[in-house]
Amino acid sequence: LARMDTIVLDKTGTLTRGRPELTDFIGVEGREDEVLAWVAAVETESEHPIGEAIVKGARDRGLTLPAVSDFQAEPGYGIQAQVAGHRINVGADRYMRRLGIDLASVADDAVSLAEKAKSPLYVAVDGRLAALIAVADPLKNGSVEAIAALKSSGLSVAMLTGDNRATAEAIARQAGIERVLAEVLPDQKAAEVKRLQDEGARVAFVGDGINDAPALAQADVGIAIGTGTDIAIEAGDVVLMRGDLRGIVDAAALSQRTRKTILGNFVWAYGYNLALIPVAAGVLFPFTGYLLNPMLAAGAMSLSSVFVVTNSLRLGRFKSNSGDSAASNISESGAAQASVS
């Protein structure tokens, strides 16, 4: 981690809170409440946070959700089901285009929503565009400060998301990120990390979801959000226990200090032994008649070990940006142990 030069942040649940809210519903065909109830009914079968936001938005309006059958989900595209005798499709623009559904009537609205950092979704009923939905997922507290701190330390920061480019770039502007990897399907995340590595970057990937696990494993260092899924945590090399992105800054600073301590310990131990082993072997005897007493040699060896251990234990006093012990937010760092080893 001390030698990474690029940090790639997954958007949903990592850079943002991961709890989207339904913000807009623009009807095209049919009664708005009826269409929203159908969409929410379909989304009850989905495990995606956006689906939960739509369901909550419908229930907040007091809508009754009908029964659902023949539910199908296509990760990265959308979902389909039968509701009240109608085929309902909900998903991204690429999903609608693949279904051959014309989006021209809401194109301007979609662009306007995306520029406000809202994610547009489309609803088709029986093969006809019925509504445009928008959800917003606000940035986590501390995200902007974490990005600024990472950039000030010389790291390149990128955001990876499945959102369309306009929405992704709007969110990235809010966070202070210049490089955006947008419209990336869930199964393409690891390939994007590999592409950056092929360009010569040393990549740390930060994620929290099930579909982040391959990218966490592919990256030179995987940083998992501890509030995320068990699979992501298992795949990560470093775990941020509180999910605060400022922990990445702490982890990078701690890793750099750990590496400096390791190198300092090596220089000390190597130089110390290089100087005293010849003395213990009697190199001074032909000139001075001096031989190192074995008890003094043992004491000198112990002194070297005490120095290395004491120098490494200084890492225990490392403080995070918030002033707390970094160990409370970073798991598996092994800093002092690594330095002694």
Side-chain angles (χ1 to χ4, degrees), residues 203-243:
V203 179
F205 179 82
V206 189
D208 75 322
I210 292 174
N211 57 29
D212 294 329
L216 287 165
Q218 174 63 48
D220 297 286
V221 176
I223 302 177
I225 303 297
T227 54
T229 63
D230 291 341
I231 293 176
I233 292 171
E234 183 67 25
D237 303 301
V238 177
V239 180
L240 303 184
M241 303 304 292
R242 291 199 300 264

Side-chain angles (χ1 to χ4, degrees), residues 2-303:
R3 291 178 290 181
M4 296 301 101
D5 54 37
T6 303
I7 304 287
V8 178
L9 298 161
D10 181 62
K11 190 207 78 171
T12 304
T14 300
L15 191 62
T16 64
R17 295 176 185 173
R19 295 189 296 275
E21 299 174 357
L22 178 64
T23 59
D24 299 86
F25 187 94
I26 301 172
V28 178
E29 283 194 4
R31 292 179 297 172
E32 285 192 11
D33 284 352
E34 185 177 47
V35 174
L36 178 56
W38 292 345
V39 174
V42 175
E43 293 289 0
T44 59
E45 302 293 319
S46 170
E47 297 179 351
H48 198 283
I50 288 178
E52 295 175 5
I54 294 172
V55 172
K56 182 178 183 300
R59 285 177 172 159
D60 287 346
R61 295 191 186 189
L63 302 180
T64 300
L65 308 187
V68 177
S69 62
D70 299 328
F71 176 83
Q72 298 174 32
E74 191 167 351
Y77 285 89
I79 55 178
Q80 172 183 299
Q82 292 289 328
V83 180
H86 299 281
R87 185 178 81 254
I88 310 297
N89 296 91
V90 186
D93 52 356
R94 55 179 171 264
Y95 184 46
M96 295 295 148
R97 285 194 295 268
R98 198 168 71 178
L99 295 174
I101 295 172
D102 185 13
L103 305 178
S105 61
V106 294
D108 291 341
D109 291 320
V111 171
S112 176
L113 292 169
E115 289 174 347
K116 297 175 184 176
K118 298 177 181 180
S119 299
L121 293 172
Y122 302 86
V123 180
V125 177
D126 297 327
R128 294 172 61 88
L129 183 66
L132 171 65
I133 296 177
V135 296
D137 189 7
L139 295 173
K140 283 183 179 179
N141 293 334
S143 291
V144 175
E145 294 90 335
I147 301 306
L150 290 168
K151 289 166 66 176
S152 66
S153 66
L155 292 167
S156 172
V157 182
M159 184 185 80
L160 185 149
T161 178
D163 287 349
N164 68 61
R165 181 156 294 278
T167 302
E169 290 181 348
I171 295 170
R173 281 195 299 272
Q174 292 180 359
I177 298 174
E178 287 82 25
R179 186 166 189 178
V180 179
L181 308 175
E183 301 181 13
V184 179
L185 297 177
D187 59 355
Q188 295 174 345
K189 291 183 178 182
E192 284 295 311
V193 172
K194 179 67 164 58
R195 183 175 63 80
L196 292 174
Q197 291 171 323
D198 290 342
E199 293 174 1
R202 293 191 292 270
V203 179
F205 179 82
V206 189
D208 75 322
I210 292 174
N211 57 29
D212 294 329
L216 287 165
Q218 174 63 48
D220 297 286
V221 176
I223 302 177
I225 303 297
T227 54
T229 63
D230 291 341
I231 293 176
I233 292 171
E234 183 67 25
D237 303 301
V238 177
V239 180
L240 303 184
M241 303 304 292
R242 291 199 300 264
D244 189 333
L245 289 189
R246 285 169 290 194
I248 302 173
V249 183
D250 296 331
L254 179 59
S255 67
Q256 290 163 2
R257 188 176 296 186
T258 301
R259 188 165 183 267
K260 286 176 65 177
T261 303
I262 290 171
L263 293 174
N265 286 344
F266 175 77
V267 170
W268 161 261
Y270 187 81
Y272 189 83
N273 284 281
L274 188 65
L276 290 186
I277 285 177
V279 174
V283 72
L284 299 178
F285 183 77
F287 310 103
T288 65
Y290 175 77
L291 283 173
L292 184 62
N293 187 297
M295 288 186 291
L296 292 177
M301 192 66 238
S302 299
L303 179 64

